Amino acid sequence: MARIEAHIYSEVLAMDTTVHVILPQERQPYIEDRPLKVLWLLHGGSGDETAWFRMSAAERYAVDYGIAMIAPNGMNSCFTDMAHGERFFTYLTEELPSVLSRLFPRLSTERSDNFIAGYSNGGYGCLKAGLGCPERYAAIGAFSAGNKADVPFANDGSPKAHLRMLAFGDGDLKNTENDLQYLAIQALRRHAPLPAIYHACGQMDPWRDLNEILQRFFSGLEGNPFRYTYRQADGFGHTWEFWEKELLSFLDWLGLTKTPGKYLAL
Amino acid sequence: MAWLHVHYHSEILMMPTAMEVLLPEYASGGNRGVDTPGPYPTLYLLHGMGDDHTAWMRRTAIERYVSGLPLAVVMPAGHLGWYTDMACGKPYFTFITEELPRICQRMFPLSPARRDRFIAGISMGGYGAIKAGLLAHETFGKAASLSGTVAVEHVLDRIGSRQAQDIFGDLEKIPGSPHDLFAAAEQLVSTKASCPELYLWCGTEDLLYPDNHRFKVHLEHLGLPVAYEEGPGGHRWECWDRQLQRLIEWIMLPPETES
């Protein structure tokens, strides 16, 4: 396996940024020429591109399952095109896939090989990316994820309110591009290929109510067009123990299989 | 330019190791990328004794010198192995000349053509680069040395005999062996194989200057393609940072002959 810290220039962000890439390395001679499946991993509100690899054993799972992992930095944007700030959604869903497929030719660009997952604000971000760009991702793994449009906003001058203002402005998000339900309905109306959704929340998560609002919405869609699965985990809160467990559950849920010994590991 | 810190696994060295990589970023607009998509020609750049894979990035402005060029730069870690298949140690020569190019061509958009593969280094890395050029002549289109330890018998001026034996084996048998670059050059000529274009530079105040000059005369006498330059300066990064810019110009020149 190769772990790569890549410093790239983003034209969309108009700045240098860092993205972490895990590439499974097979043994020589290289026989298989199949492109690597890709899991995009988004961090939460206080994280960055290193979060998944520092706080979980994600790299070990990349080797076990023979899947590439890509973790970009979205700063405090929730991976949106910010109201006051940079266009992280466009960076994540348009520019980065094309930049990385050129730097690392083994990455598959097929929709069926691309999955996106995240926790907390990154859980919202991965749902937004998958629902907003359903032609790019085959499946979404959202852990401890609510819909920002379901959170009433009152500008109380707190640091949290300030961050919300920067990312989303101060208006109501219902029926905007930042509303997951709106994006889901738009995708349904376009008859686009829809991503499958795996959603999980800890029973002790302080924002469980927001997760459950989303769960009721997707569970209420006739015919379950997103193949939506919701799991509540007893005894878990808004923690890395939970997100790591769910990362593994998501990989299994995708139907990926382990390939012991095929890829080089530490 | 994308700057990559890469932690990866070497089967040949039987351990994880690291490299720094500079890759052109293909961009349609802006002034930060290049306007040609890959695969790109590649310069393998070797560090000297006591340094590691980060030396070139930290001690020179290499990223500035290659920005805008359709050239990838791979800076591997060669530890204290003299880029040699060690008598008692690890096979660094095979690593540098075989496994590393295969890994990099697999991982990044790099050209697999000999004429697009270059190797260069300073000091111990200069020895390694010229050794790779002469012995793995089918792999590299150009090989260059800055202040290289080209007369390997003088390795004992720099390291103890125990360490030297671990690397090169019986020190009495070095002269005339593949470790001896003078002999390796003669051997290459005798096989009539195509020799990579060679480049040598050494500072005139460097203790290695007489050896480098002597090696240049030897290569010219054998009729091998060598570009030679010298200038004021010692065994110092100030010189290598300056000379690196010249080296990159030479790397980017079209090949003298197609082979």
Side-chain angles (χ1 to χ4, degrees):
Chain A
M1 135 291 317
R3 177 184 170 166
I4 301 165
E5 179 186 326
H7 299 262
I8 60 171
Y9 179 74
S10 160
E11 288 189 68
V12 167
L13 302 178
M15 64 179 179
D16 281 316
T17 184
T18 308
V19 54
H20 276 229
V21 178
I22 306 292
L23 288 183
Q25 255 184 294
E26 67 275 63
R27 289 166 209 286
Q28 297 192 39
Y30 304 132
I31 296 162
E32 185 181 303
D33 222 23
R34 208 160 52 89
L36 288 168
K37 293 180 193 296
V38 181
L39 176 61
W40 301 80
L41 285 175
L42 307 187
H43 63 78
S46 59
D48 65 12
E49 73 281 2
T50 66
W52 274 104
F53 304 114
R54 285 157 62 190
M55 302 301 280
S56 83
E59 179 172 330
R60 204 174 80 232
Y61 310 141
V63 175
D64 287 348
Y65 288 89
I67 187 170
M69 292 185 178
I70 297 172
N73 186 355
M75 299 176 72
N76 289 126
S77 71
C78 298
F79 296 93
T80 62
D81 284 353
M82 298 172 78
H84 307 280
E86 275 58 63
R87 294 158 55 215
F88 281 97
F89 184 81
T90 306
Y91 165 69
L92 169 70
T93 59
E94 292 179 25
E95 184 184 34
L96 195 57
S98 103
V99 167
L100 293 185
S101 71
R102 283 193 292 263
L103 294 180
F104 308 110
R106 288 179 66 215
L107 299 177
S108 174
T109 54
E110 292 291 320
R111 176 182 186 274
S112 58
D113 289 336
N114 276 262
F115 318 111
I116 189 163
Y119 67 92
S120 194
N121 278 352
Y124 165 79
C126 72
L127 282 162
K128 186 179 170 189
L131 294 169
C133 301
E135 69 288 346
R136 194 171 282 289
Y137 309 99
I140 301 167
F143 318 140
S144 311
N147 183 1
K148 293 295 175 190
D150 290 333
V151 185
F153 179 62
N155 190 355
D156 57 6
S158 66
K160 197 176 171 187
H162 180 66
L163 289 178
R164 198 274 195 188
M165 291 267 293
L166 295 182
F168 300 105
D170 59 2
D172 184 8
L173 302 182
K174 280 287 179 199
N175 297 311
T176 71
E177 296 288 332
N178 288 315
D179 177 359
L180 300 178
Q181 294 192 19
Y182 173 82
L183 292 174
I185 290 164
Q186 293 299 312
L188 281 167
R189 286 196 182 143
R190 290 212 306 273
H191 302 290
L194 300 175
I197 298 176
Y198 175 96
H199 184 192
C201 188
Q203 166 252 334
M204 291 152 63
D205 192 301
W207 296 283
R208 199 180 86 196
D209 54 339
L210 288 171
N211 285 257
E212 289 173 350
I213 294 172
L214 210 49
Q215 183 233 333
R216 284 193 291 278
F217 167 74
F218 280 107
S219 302
L221 293 175
E222 194 177 333
N224 193 15
F226 292 96
R227 284 166 289 160
Y228 179 81
T229 297
Y230 183 79
R231 287 187 190 161
Q232 176 175 295
D234 290 341
F236 284 96
H238 203 75
T239 65
W240 274 105
E241 287 76 12
F242 174 62
W243 300 322
E244 172 157 47
K245 177 176 93 67
E246 289 306 324
L247 174 62
L248 277 173
S249 299
F250 178 55
L251 292 170
D252 284 335
W253 184 79
L254 288 171
L256 301 179
T257 48
K258 293 190 180 185
T259 52
K262 180 172 176 188
Y263 295 99
L264 297 162
L266 288 170
Chain B
M1 219 71 208
W3 170 31
L4 317 179
H5 311 285
V6 185
H7 296 266
Y8 63 109
H9 194 88
S10 165
E11 289 177 85
I12 287 281
L13 300 181
M14 295 187 290
M15 63 181 180
T17 183
M19 62 181 158
E20 301 286 292
V21 177
L22 293 170
L23 277 185
E25 260 185 277
Y26 175 59
S28 49
N31 57 1
R32 303 288 295 264
V34 297
D35 56 8
T36 47
Y40 300 104
T42 309
L43 171 61
Y44 293 86
L45 200 49
L46 310 181
H47 65 74
M49 265 190 92
D51 283 333
D52 71 6
H53 57 289
T54 66
W56 283 102
M57 293 297 301
R58 291 158 62 188
R59 306 288 198 135
T60 76
I62 181 160
E63 182 168 349
R64 201 174 83 229
Y65 306 148
V66 298
S67 71
L69 298 178
L71 177 72
V73 183
V74 173
M75 293 159 273
H79 308 123
L80 296 168
W82 284 78
Y83 305 101
T84 289
D85 285 350
M86 294 172 69
C88 289
K90 290 180 181 292
Y92 283 98
F93 183 80
T94 307
F95 167 67
I96 287 293
T97 60
E98 295 181 23
E99 187 188 32
L100 182 68
R102 278 210 294 269
I103 287 174
C104 290
Q105 284 164 214
R106 177 86 168 152
M107 210 174 292
F108 313 120
L110 307 183
S111 168
R114 174 187 187 261
R115 56 169 287 169
D116 290 333
R117 227 188 269 115
F118 316 117
I119 190 164
I122 48 156
S123 196
M124 171 182 87
Y127 170 79
I130 298 298
K131 188 175 196 176
L134 295 175
L135 300 182
H137 47 80
E138 72 290 352
T139 301
F140 297 100
K142 296 183 181 185
S145 157
L146 304 180
S147 312
T149 313
V150 291
V152 70
E153 63 272 22
H154 289 167
V155 70
L156 281 172
D157 300 342
R158 303 196 54 205
I159 58 178
S161 67
R162 162 109 185 261
Q163 189 183 2
Q165 283 175 52
D166 282 347
I167 298 164
F168 297 106
D170 186 346
L171 300 181
E172 303 283 313
K173 292 182 179 163
I174 288 181
S177 79
H179 300 312
D180 172 354
L181 300 185
F182 286 71
E186 289 167 23
Q187 175 64 21
L188 179 58
V189 168
S190 75
T191 63
K192 297 188 167 58
S194 172
C195 183
E197 291 176 45
L198 304 173
Y199 175 93
L200 301 175
W201 180 87
C202 194
T204 50
E205 292 142 53
D206 194 320
L207 289 174
L208 300 176
Y209 171 72
D211 286 344
N212 272 273
H213 190 270
R214 189 161 59 88
F215 188 50
K216 166 246 185 185
V217 170
H218 183 70
L219 294 174
E220 285 176 344
H221 180 71
L222 290 170
L224 291 174
V226 58
Y228 176 83
E229 293 181 318
E230 60 177 54
H235 207 71
R236 299 172 59 83
W237 277 104
E238 288 82 352
C239 304
W240 300 326
D241 190 20
R242 187 186 65 225
Q243 213 56 33
L244 175 61
Q245 301 170 65
R246 179 75 196 98
L247 172 65
I248 289 164
E249 284 173 18
W250 177 79
I251 290 284
M252 296 306 290
L253 292 172
E256 285 190 351
T257 52
E258 296 292 341
S259 51

